[in-house]
């Protein structure tokens, strides 16, 4: 079923006020009266709807209310260093599909400077990925101004995983073996060229666990996707 | 260290004949005499080399011979339905990074027709990904002419996994729980729109196990990446 998101303030007891964009999109789908679509409130509730007959078709009539099924059983934040080109787009899109609850961008020595102009575009990519994959929330795209503040934020999770290519001992598996259902995870990943020694020191002293993703060197956009897939697999969410 | 591949026939006891492209590339890197690079034979052996002084720099002098470290401990083939646009590029690149031993493309009812013109480009993407990620082989890009022959080929693995969005019972985890070290795996994945009932019947009667990747709907290029990451994680290769 096609999926849309609406602000809770636009959701009434019987009808939902659709945004202009969604209303145009739904009419373009030329759904038959018997064909339903989903409007999600972005807070874990799905409304099974059909297009309303009044207001020029800009409202949805609620037929049934059900919990969103697309949310994982735990909170997993993905921290990604600012980098060039389409790498951020891919990392954000796939992280949302795989179940990240929010994505936090941060500057790093070998990456790009923080660029707030990228945020609206990445938030749109997150919205589209959330619609397509059936998420119950639209993960927020957030920015931390410094590497240090990002590290401190990431370290507040129960399992803060610092993906570090110079780590050779501690694997993701050996770390997650202590995972208990419901604990939160953060995945912290660098730009092309990885992290400097200084950044690794900050990350570890913040309380993150430095982990390797094995013997192959993954591209900067592949590392968070692979780590997130592994964490979702480990926790029974894949 | 920079990494190149050479045909075994170009590898002598003391020197390796470099291809013209690699020779130009290595000279462009302006390596100092003390800086080494790797030439891999594509069969699991790495040669630590420096640029030779004779023949205009088109030979590499072998300094040390070591086994390639980038190969996983088991054979994992990834079967991907022909699809449009950059989706195949991303799926091939990431599959190589994550350790696929070969990639087999096949036609499907909801996908694109088999297109042999795409193969040279995808093989170049595989070569670049193998260089970048430190693989000991360059995974071959192969084509099966029919859905049925692809299904039969995939089913010959010890764990043939048919990624099917209509599967709701059997998970990847519940299937891999029976995995023993060294057993081969195949991952069989569709185009946008997934597989038809008829294709699912063929896949299952070929002997594949139909598995779900959970409650979120993954894009066609994300599904093989996520499944491969999970399989590599499960088998201790991530």
């Amino acid at each position: 079923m096609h999926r849309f998101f609406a602000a809770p303030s636009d959701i009434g007891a019987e009808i939902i006020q659709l945004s202009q964009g969604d209303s145009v999109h739904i009419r373009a789908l030329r759904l038959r009266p018997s064909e339903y679509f989903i409007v999600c409130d972005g807070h874990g509730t799905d409304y099974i709807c059909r297009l309303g007959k009044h207001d020029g078709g800009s409202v949805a009539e609620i037929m049934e209310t059900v919990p969103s099924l697309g949310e994982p059983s735990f909170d997993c934040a993905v921290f990604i260093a600012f980098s060039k080109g389409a790498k951020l787009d891919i990392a954000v899109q796939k992280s949302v599909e795989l179940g990240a609850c929010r994505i936090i961008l941060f500057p790093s020595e070998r990456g790009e400077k923080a660029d707030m102009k990228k945020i609206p575009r990445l938030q749109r990519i997150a919205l589209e990925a959330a619609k397509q994959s059936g998420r119950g929330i639209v993960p927020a795209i957030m920015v931390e101004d410094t590497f240090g503040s990002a590290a401190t934020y990431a370290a507040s999770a129960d399992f803060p995983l610092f993906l570090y290519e110079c780590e050779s001992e501690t694997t993701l598996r050996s770390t997650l073996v202590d995972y208990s259902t419901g604990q939160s995870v953060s995945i912290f990943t660098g730009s092309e060229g990885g992290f400097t020694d200084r950044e690794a020191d900050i990350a570890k002293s913040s309380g993150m666990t430095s982990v390797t993703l094995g013997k192959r060197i993954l591209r900067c956009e592949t590392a968070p996707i692979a780590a997130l897939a592994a964490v979702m697999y480990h926790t029974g969410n894949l």
Side-chain angles (χ1 to χ4, degrees), chain A:
Chain A
M1 251 189 286
H2 291 278
R3 188 175 190 83
F4 302 88
F5 284 89
S9 57
D10 289 335
I11 300 174
E14 292 177 2
I15 62 165
I16 298 172
Q17 186 66 45
L18 296 167
S19 71
Q20 199 186 351
D22 286 346
S23 164
V24 168
H25 185 178
I26 292 168
R27 281 203 303 274
L29 293 171
R30 299 186 181 283
L31 300 175
R32 280 163 297 194
S34 60
E35 281 184 296
Y36 294 167
F37 55 91
I38 294 169
V39 181
C40 178
D41 68 356
H43 290 80
T45 300
D46 282 3
Y47 299 88
I48 317 288
C49 296
R50 66 178 181 192
L51 202 55
K53 289 196 175 65
H54 42 294
D55 265 4
S58 64
V59 298
E61 293 178 8
I62 299 170
M63 310 305 289
E64 198 184 342
T65 303
V66 294
S68 307
L69 292 175
E71 289 308 300
S73 60
F74 71 112
D75 183 289
C76 187
V78 178
F79 291 72
I80 306 174
F82 273 104
S83 63
K84 280 186 291 195
K87 295 183 179 79
L88 276 184
D89 296 2
I90 294 177
V92 165
Q93 184 188 61
K94 305 307 175 210
S95 294
V96 171
E97 286 178 65
L98 288 166
C101 61
R102 79 197 78 89
I103 292 156
I104 301 99
L105 305 175
F106 62 90
S108 68
E109 291 181 37
R110 292 180 184 151
E112 298 283 292
K113 274 193 285 194
D115 180 0
M116 298 305 290
K117 288 201 297 291
K118 291 186 172 178
I119 308 307
R121 172 186 167 77
L122 293 172
Q123 192 65 67
R124 281 197 300 276
I125 289 173
L127 171 62
E128 289 308 316
K131 283 176 169 179
Q132 174 268 317
S133 60
R135 296 291 304 268
I137 66 165
V138 182
I141 310 293
M142 302 157 70
V143 174
E144 284 291 330
D145 290 335
T146 67
F147 183 91
S149 65
T152 303
Y153 184 5
S156 66
D158 296 322
F159 278 77
L161 305 168
F162 179 65
L163 308 189
Y164 188 36
E165 81 257 32
C166 297
E167 175 62 48
S168 56
E169 297 294 317
T170 310
T171 64
L172 193 55
R173 263 163 76 95
S174 64
T175 303
L176 288 175
V177 83
D178 295 323
Y179 183 86
S180 305
T181 307
Q183 289 185 298
S184 62
V185 174
S186 62
I187 291 169
F188 197 93
T189 175
S191 67
E192 210 171 326
F195 294 116
T196 62
D197 292 348
R198 198 180 79 77
E199 287 172 333
D201 288 343
I202 295 172
K204 288 179 213 169
S205 63
S206 296
M208 278 195 267
T209 305
S210 162
V211 298
T212 171
L213 287 182
K215 293 171 192 161
R216 284 170 297 286
I217 298 152
L218 302 179
R219 280 176 193 268
C220 65
E221 75 279 18
T222 314
I225 302 170
L228 185 56
V231 167
M232 290 293 164
Y233 178 77
H234 185 95
T235 57
N237 289 283
L238 187 80

